[in-house]
Amino acid sequence: MTRFAHSALAALISLSTPLAAPLGFSQAAHAADLSIYTEDDGSVCGESWVLSKITDRFSYQVHHVPHLPDVAITDFRNIRQHRYEPASDEWPIGRHYCRATVNLSDGRDRSIFYLIEEGQGFASIGDNVEFCVSGFDRWMVYNGRCRVLR
């Protein structure tokens, strides 16, 4: 296997946490791995991989969507799950609806709403996370004021 193919495979596998450890690949440390959150309600909403994914994707968003301020998430507070829809025969995807308060690098606090979909990660391995920070949904992807994820 060429070095490029090996590194590409490692990158793909590292996206899916369940496969990373058995195959000997390790994930890079992210800011959320450094315990940047407080007051978790004990649900999946406060797990470090979820907060890390949100932090990384938010950074990408503010750098690639025009006219958004150049800020970063520095802290998660008041993390709580406000709704859970378990998988069933009628709806095969379990969903955790979460909310929290994020502190941004400009010192402002914003509400964040996020959804964790079970089994909907890359190639259906792992879970998917969708999020919306109040005031940062410039293209109304999640409707006005993050309504879709509330």
Side-chain angles (χ1 to χ4, degrees):
M1 182 179 281
T2 67
R3 183 181 304 191
F4 175 76
H6 180 71
S7 63
L9 178 62
L12 286 174
I13 291 176
S14 70
L15 293 174
S16 57
T17 305
L19 290 179
L23 295 175
F25 295 109
S26 61
Q27 290 183 305
H30 296 285
D33 294 335
L34 302 175
S35 185
I36 66 169
Y37 60 92
T38 58
E39 299 177 36
D40 177 12
D41 71 353
S43 68
V44 68
C45 298
E47 291 188 11
S48 64
W49 70 268
V50 172
L51 303 180
S52 177
K53 189 174 282 195
I54 291 170
T55 302
D56 290 345
R57 288 186 183 169
F58 182 76
S59 176
Y60 182 87
Q61 176 184 357
V62 298
H63 289 101
H64 291 88
V65 175
H67 309 295
L68 287 181
D70 188 14
V71 296
I73 294 174
T74 60
D75 189 23
F76 286 84
R77 292 189 320 274
N78 302 324
I79 300 168
R80 59 194 177 280
Q81 176 175 293
H82 62 92
R83 189 169 77 211
Y84 173 62
E85 296 176 358
S88 67
D89 290 336
E90 292 178 17
W91 197 258
I93 301 168
R95 289 183 164 87
H96 301 265
Y97 289 87
C98 309
R99 65 175 21 156
T101 302
V102 291
N103 184 265
L104 302 178
S105 58
D106 65 358
R108 300 178 100 185
D109 287 343
R110 300 279 185 147
S111 295
I112 183 171
F113 303 92
Y114 52 107
L115 163 68
I116 303 164
E117 297 173 305
E118 298 171 354
Q120 297 302 303
F122 181 74
S124 297
I125 299 171
D127 299 338
N128 180 47
V129 179
E130 297 288 334
F131 72 94
C132 179
V133 176
S134 293
F136 284 80
D137 189 15
R138 181 164 176 77
W139 293 332
M140 303 282 285
V141 173
Y142 298 105
N143 206 324
R145 297 184 351 236
C146 305
R147 187 185 65 82
V148 172
L149 298 179
R150 284 183 186 238

